[in-house]
Amino acid sequence: MALSDIRAGVVGVGFIGVAHVEALRRLGVDVVGVVGSSPERAKTKAEAANLPRVYESYESLLSDDIDVVHVATPNHAHADQVRAALDAG
């Protein structure tokens, strides 16, 4: 599988989330969307940082056709978010 065939979603639109989107794009990965702590915050950040589609919820990101999830949220949220991603396949 080529990097350009990978569809990624990024959770978190703070500094690290934006850095992940930029790094993935430089590698040629298709970043299909992001999700933030609230849809409003994510939309504002997406417009300012040229981010892709904003999902209304983490669950809606996971239900899309993606191959990988980058978790760029505060550390305390990682375990539950990773478990949800694994459960979603």
Side-chain angles (χ1 to χ4, degrees):
M1 175 182 281
L3 289 175
S4 60
D5 295 330
I6 296 172
R7 295 174 48 86
V10 176
V11 184
V13 293
F15 175 81
I16 297 300
V18 172
H20 277 247
V21 170
E22 292 172 1
L24 288 164
R25 285 177 169 167
R26 278 187 295 240
L27 291 170
V29 172
D30 180 16
V31 182
V32 297
V34 298
V35 64
S37 57
S38 74
E40 297 78 21
R41 182 175 186 279
K43 287 175 187 171
T44 300
K45 190 69 170 203
E47 290 170 4
N50 191 29
L51 300 177
R53 174 183 174 191
V54 173
Y55 290 90
E56 294 292 317
S57 69
Y58 185 51
E59 294 75 21
S60 63
L61 178 138
L62 293 178
S63 69
D64 202 353
D65 181 26
I66 59 173
D67 302 302
V68 63
V69 175
H70 278 235
V71 177
T73 56
N75 292 344
H76 72 273
H78 289 182
D80 289 340
Q81 291 170 337
V82 170
R83 280 188 201 100
L86 290 171
D87 289 344

